[in-house]
C-alpha cells in the first residue's frame, strides 16, 4: 500500500509539473510571437480582397472607390496579396529597400564604381560641402561635428547588408533574412538614413552637372526650380532633414530615390482610380532597363507592398 501511495503521489507530482511547464512554455511562445509581430515592420502576405473588405467597409464614396481600386488590382493587374508596411515617415524607404533586398537586386552601376562609404568625406573635402554638418537624422535631429562618422556608419551598414542580400541565391532564405532585419528598428533606422544621404549625394552630383550646362533629367530641373530646393543645401534643410521625422517622401523625392537606386518604382495610387494617375512610375522613363519594384498607396503618404 505504501508503494502504491508513493507511486500515485509521484504521478500526480509529475502531472502537475507537466501542466505547469506546458503553461509556461505556451506563455513564452505567445510572448515571443507577440514581440516579433509587434516589431516586424513589413507584415506577412494577406489576401488582397480580404484585406480590402476588412479595411474598407461601408458605403461612403471613398470606401466604394477603394473597393473598386482593389478589385482592379486583383482582377486586371494580377495582384493577389499585400504586405502591410509599418506606417511612419520612413515607410516609402522601407517599402523600396525591403523589395531590393528580398529580390536580391545588385548595386546600382554608379555604386559599383565608387566606394559609397567614402561619400561623406568626398562631399566635404573634394566638393567643399561643409554644410553637410547640418544634416539631421530623422527624429533624432542629430547634428554636429561627428555627423561624418555617424553617416559613415550608416552607409557602411547599407553596403554590408546590400552585399549580403545580393549574394543570397535562395529566395526563401532571403525572405527569412529580410524578416529578421526588418524587425530590428535600430538597424532599419540606419539603413534609411543611409538611403537619404546617397539621395543627397546624387542631388549634389546632378547640381554640379547642371552648373556645367550638362543635360540632366527633367525632374531634377523641377527640383532646382523650386525656391525651397534651389540647390543641395536648401533641399537638405527644407525637405530631406524632415524625412523620417515630420514627413515622408514627396513625389519628387520618389523620382530621386528611383534614379539613385536605379530601380523603376511603379506605384498604384488607389485614390486616383479611374484616372491617368492611377499607375505612375518613378522615374517615368528610366535611362536603362532597370529592375522594377511595385508599391501601392491609398493616399500618397503611406505605402504597402503588392504581391503578384
Amino acid at each position: 500500500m505504501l508503494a502504491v501511495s508513493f507511486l500515485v503521489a509521484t504521478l500526480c507530482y509529475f502531472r502537475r509539473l507537466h501542466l505547469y511547464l506546458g503553461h509556461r512554455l505556451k506563455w513564452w511562445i505567445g510572448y515571443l510571437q507577440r514581440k516579433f509581430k509587434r516589431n516586424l515592420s513589413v507584415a506577412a502576405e494577406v489576401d488582397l480582397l480580404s484585406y480590402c473588405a476588412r479595411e474598407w467597409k461601408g458605403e461612403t464614396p471613398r470606401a466604394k472607390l477603394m473597393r473598386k481600386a482593389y478589385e482592379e488590382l486583383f482582377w486586371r493587374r494580377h495582384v493577389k496579396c499585400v504586405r502591410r508596411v509599418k506606417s511612419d515617415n520612413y515607410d516609402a524607404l522601407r517599402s523600396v529597400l525591403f523589395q531590393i533586398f528580398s529580390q536580391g537586386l545588385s548595386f546600382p552601376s554608379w555604386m559599383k564604381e565608387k566606394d559609397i562609404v567614402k561619400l561623406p568625406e568626398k562631399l566635404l573635402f573634394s566638393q567643399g560641402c561643409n554644410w553637410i554638418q547640418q544634416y539631421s537624422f530623422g527624429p533624432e535631429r542629430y547634428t554636429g561635428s561627428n555627423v561624418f562618422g555617424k553617416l559613415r556608419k550608416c552607409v557602411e551598414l547599407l553596403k554590408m547588408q546590400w552585399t549580403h542580400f545580393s549574394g543570397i541565391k535562395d529566395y526563401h532564405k532571403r525572405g527569412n533574412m529580410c524578416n529578421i532585419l526588418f524587425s530590428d528598428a535600430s538597424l532599419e533606422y540606419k539603413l534609411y538614413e543611409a538611403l537619404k544621404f546617397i539621395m543627397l549625394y546624387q542631388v549634389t552630383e546632378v547640381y554640379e552637372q547642371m552648373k556645367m550646362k550638362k543635360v540632366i533629367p527633367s525632374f531634377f530641373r523641377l527640383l532646382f526650380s523650386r525656391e525651397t530646393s534651389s540647390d543641395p543645401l536648401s533641399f537638405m534643410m527644407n525637405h530631406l532633414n524632415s524625412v523620417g521625422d515630420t514627413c515622408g517622401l514627396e513625389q519628387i523625392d520618389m523620382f530621386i530615390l528611383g534614379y539613385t537606386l536605379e530601380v523603376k518604382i511603379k506605384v498604384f495610387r488607389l485614390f486616383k482610380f479611374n484616372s491617368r494617375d492611377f499607375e505612375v512610375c518613378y522615374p517615368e522613363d528610366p535611362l536603362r532597363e532597370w529592375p522594377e519594384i511595385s508599391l501601392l498607396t491609398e493616399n500618397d503618404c503611406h505605402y504597402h507592398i503588392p504581391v503578384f
Side-chain angles (χ1 to χ4, degrees):
M1 291 294 295
L2 183 63
V4 171
S5 298
F6 177 76
L7 180 60
V8 170
T10 302
L11 290 174
C12 289
Y13 169 78
F14 279 109
R15 183 174 182 274
R16 288 195 298 269
L17 179 62
H18 177 265
L19 291 174
Y20 172 78
L21 292 176
H23 174 75
R24 296 303 297 172
L25 179 61
K26 184 178 180 180
W27 185 89
W28 276 106
I29 290 174
Y31 169 77
L32 292 173
Q33 287 177 337
R34 290 192 301 273
K35 182 177 178 62
F36 181 74
K37 183 178 180 180
R38 183 171 64 250
N39 288 337
L40 189 62
S41 62
V42 179
E45 297 177 10
V46 295
D47 177 75
L48 185 76
L49 294 183
S50 298
Y51 170 79
C52 171
R54 185 172 67 249
E55 295 294 318
W56 293 102
K57 300 175 182 178
E59 297 302 319
T60 65
R62 184 169 179 81
K64 291 179 180 179
L65 178 71
M66 286 298 168
R67 288 198 294 268
K68 290 180 180 178
Y70 275 106
E71 288 170 1
E72 167 76 11
L73 290 185
F74 186 85
W75 295 110
R76 308 261 325 252
R77 310 303 175 102
H78 309 295
V79 178
K80 301 306 179 186
C81 298
V82 61
R83 300 192 70 155
R84 293 195 66 177
V85 177
K86 179 182 176 181
S87 293
D88 59 15
N89 289 318
Y90 284 120
D91 63 1
L93 294 170
R94 179 181 293 113
S95 302
V96 170
L97 189 63
F98 182 90
Q99 292 186 78
I100 287 175
F101 283 178
S102 63
Q103 294 180 28
L105 301 184
S106 60
F107 282 111
S109 58
W110 72 270
M111 285 191 191
K112 295 175 182 177
E113 300 167 358
K114 299 178 181 179
D115 184 359
I116 60 173
V117 176
K118 297 178 180 178
L119 294 184
E121 288 84 356
K122 183 178 185 296
L123 279 184
L124 176 64
F125 298 114
S126 299
Q127 298 177 226
C129 302
N130 57 355
W131 46 262
I132 197 67
Q133 296 181 67
Q134 299 177 68
Y135 183 97
S136 66
F137 294 78
E140 186 177 337
R141 293 179 175 271
Y142 178 92
T143 57
S145 58
N146 194 39
V147 69
F148 298 102
K150 194 171 180 67
L151 278 172
R152 187 184 181 97
K153 289 180 180 179
C154 292
V155 178
E156 277 181 342
L157 178 65
L158 177 65
K159 181 180 180 180
M160 180 185 71
Q161 293 291 346
W162 201 328
T163 302
H164 175 65
F165 278 97
S166 62
I168 299 175
K169 303 305 179 185
D170 183 81
Y171 172 80
H172 297 289
K173 184 177 180 181
R174 284 199 309 270
N176 291 334
M177 295 300 295
C178 274
N179 288 337
I180 294 172
L181 176 62
F182 287 84
S183 62
D184 188 326
S186 63
L187 289 183
E188 278 192 78
Y189 158 79
K190 294 176 183 176
L191 293 173
Y192 306 143
E193 289 301 323
L195 287 181
K196 283 170 52 180
F197 172 73
I198 62 174
M199 287 170 64
L200 177 61
Y201 174 80
Q202 283 292 74
V203 168
T204 305
E205 289 282 285
V206 175
Y207 183 72
E208 293 300 318
Q209 295 171 15
M210 184 183 71
K211 290 199 301 184
M212 294 186 289
K213 308 298 182 183
K214 293 184 178 181
V215 177
I216 63 173
S218 58
F219 56 86
F220 278 110
R221 290 198 299 271
L222 175 62
L223 176 75
F224 297 133
S225 69
R226 303 188 304 181
E227 291 185 3
T228 58
S229 57
S230 58
D231 55 38
L233 171 58
S234 60
F235 170 68
M236 182 187 77
M237 297 298 294
N238 296 322
H239 298 277
L240 201 63
N241 276 355
S242 300
V243 173
D245 181 20
T246 59
C247 67
L249 296 186
E250 301 175 15
Q251 277 192 286
I252 189 69
D253 302 325
M254 296 292 284
F255 281 104
I256 298 169
L257 180 63
Y259 177 86
T260 298
L261 301 179
E262 293 186 359
V263 293
K264 181 180 179 181
I265 305 173
K266 181 166 68 175
V267 180
F268 297 107
R269 305 167 75 205
L270 304 190
F271 66 105
K272 294 287 187 179
F273 179 64
N274 267 346
S275 77
R276 59 179 296 182
D277 295 323
F278 176 65
E279 179 184 321
V280 296
C281 293
Y282 307 106
E284 294 173 336
D285 300 306
L287 302 180
R288 305 171 192 83
E289 289 298 319
W290 291 347
E292 180 178 288
I293 60 177
S294 298
L295 309 178
L296 66 83
T297 179
E298 297 174 348
N299 53 18
D300 265 356
C301 294
H302 299 296
Y303 296 85
H304 300 301
I305 299 173
V307 181
F308 294 86

